[in-house]
Amino acid sequence: MVKKQAGPPIAGIPAAVLSNQVRAPETFTDGLPLPKMIVFDLDYTLWPFWVDTHVTPPLKAKDNGTKSTDRWGESFAFYPDVPSILLAAKALPQGPLLLGTASRTQAPDLAHTLLKQLHLPPLPVAHSVANDASSSTSSLTVNGAASPTKSPTKSTFSSGSSSAPTPFTSPKRALDVFDYMQIFPGDKKRHFEKIQKQSGVAYEEMLFFDDESRNRNVEQLGVTMWLVRDGVTRSEVDNGVRDWRRRKGLEV
C-alpha cells in the first residue's frame, strides 16, 4: 500500500513557533541534519494496542477524529505526543520530512481504517500562518482542494510546488500525512525493501521507530532503528534522531 507525494502547498512554520506552539521534538528545529524519511511501526509505537487482537470492527470515529470506538464501545487513539510529532514533521521551515509506516499486523485493513478515522488537529498557528501565507518564501505542499475547509481526495504533503501556500486550518486524517505505507505480516526487511524501491531514499537516510527488538534486523539494510519502550514521544524522537546523527558522524 503506497501513496506518492504530489500536490499544492501549506506554509512552513517558523522554528520558534514549531517548538513553542506545535511542541515539535527539539531535533526538528536545532539546525542539524535530519533523516530524509522517518518510518513508524503502528502497534505500541504510534498507538497503545495491537490492532489485530484488541480492536473489534466495525470502527466509528468519535470526538472529531481524536479517537475511534469499536463494536464493543472500546476507545482507540494515538499516544498523546504522536499528533504533534506528525504535524511538526510536515511543517518544518526547511521542508517536510517523508513519513512512512512499516507494520506486520495481521489486520492491515483494520489498521488502514483506523488511520483514516483518526485525525490530526489543525496547527495551532493556522491563523497567523494564513495572514502571512501570501508573503511566505518557505512552504510545504498538501495535496488537496484549494479551500482548506474542503476534504482533499489525497492529502499528502510534499515540496516543490510553486502554487501559493495555504495553512493547515482543519483536522487532517492521519493516513494522509504518510507518504509510504507498508502494512502486512512478515519480516520488516521486506517492508523496507518495498519502501526503498518506491521512494528511492537510501536506507542510510531512514530512521525507524519500533517497539520490538527483533525488528532491528532492518539495520542489516542500513536503516537506523530506535527501540521505543512505551510508545513514541518527543523525547524518543529526539533520541532516535541523535542516534541517527551519531552513526553518520553528524552529532556535535
Side-chain angles (χ1 to χ4, degrees):
M1 167 186 319
V2 174
K3 296 191 310 169
K4 299 222 175 167
Q5 291 184 307
I10 73 165
I13 307 300
V17 176
L18 273 179
S19 297
N20 298 329
Q21 296 190 43
V22 183
R23 302 182 68 200
E26 292 178 5
T27 51
F28 282 12
T29 57
D30 63 7
L32 295 176
L34 291 168
K36 290 183 179 177
M37 183 186 297
I38 295 180
V39 181
F40 298 95
D41 174 43
L42 296 177
D43 296 343
Y44 287 100
T45 300
L46 290 187
W47 50 48
F49 50 86
W50 287 304
V51 71
D52 55 5
T53 60
H54 293 163
V55 183
T56 304
L59 286 167
K60 185 175 182 180
K62 294 283 188 177
D63 298 342
N64 296 317
T66 59
K67 65 181 181 181
S68 288
T69 57
D70 72 354
R71 178 186 296 274
W72 310 116
E74 295 291 330
S75 295
F76 301 93
F78 289 125
Y79 283 106
D81 285 357
V82 166
S84 63
I85 290 167
L86 298 179
L87 288 175
K90 289 302 186 180
L92 299 180
Q94 67 269 37
L97 294 179
L98 292 171
L99 296 180
T101 62
S103 171
R104 63 198 309 163
T105 180
Q106 299 284 336
D109 289 342
L110 198 54
H112 189 269
T113 297
L114 194 55
L115 288 171
K116 285 194 295 185
Q117 290 189 1
L118 293 178
H119 280 60
L120 307 179
L123 290 169
V125 292
H127 294 297
S128 62
V129 172
N131 293 335
D132 296 338
S134 60
S135 59
S136 174
T137 58
S138 175
S139 66
L140 315 182
T141 44
V142 57
N143 182 8
S147 169
T149 61
K150 294 182 180 179
S151 298
T153 43
K154 294 182 182 177
S155 276
T156 311
F157 293 76
S158 64
S159 58
S161 171
S162 59
S163 32
T166 58
F168 174 14
T169 56
S170 59
K172 176 169 291 299
R173 299 186 311 174
L175 178 78
D176 295 330
V177 301
F178 292 104
D179 304 284
Y180 298 95
M181 302 179 64
Q182 294 297 330
I183 306 176
F184 59 88
D187 191 321
K188 290 285 178 85
K189 286 198 295 184
R190 290 179 55 211
H191 297 68
F192 275 89
E193 287 166 354
K194 290 178 179 291
I195 290 172
Q196 197 284 323
K197 182 176 181 180
Q198 291 152 357
S199 68
V201 175
Y203 291 122
E204 293 76 13
E205 292 294 331
M206 298 181 189
L207 172 60
F208 179 42
F209 292 92
D210 197 295
D211 69 305
E212 293 189 84
S213 58
R214 63 174 173 167
N215 294 320
R216 283 194 186 279
N217 65 345
V218 301
E219 296 196 332
Q220 297 169 12
L221 300 172
V223 175
T224 295
M225 177 182 146
W226 184 257
L227 186 67
V228 299
R229 296 297 184 181
D230 192 21
V232 166
T233 63
R234 285 182 291 278
S235 62
E236 290 281 22
V237 170
D238 284 334
N239 289 335
V241 170
R242 289 174 181 135
D243 187 50
W244 175 84
R245 289 171 178 169
R246 279 192 294 270
R247 297 188 191 201
K248 293 181 70 69
L250 299 172
E251 189 71 281
V252 294

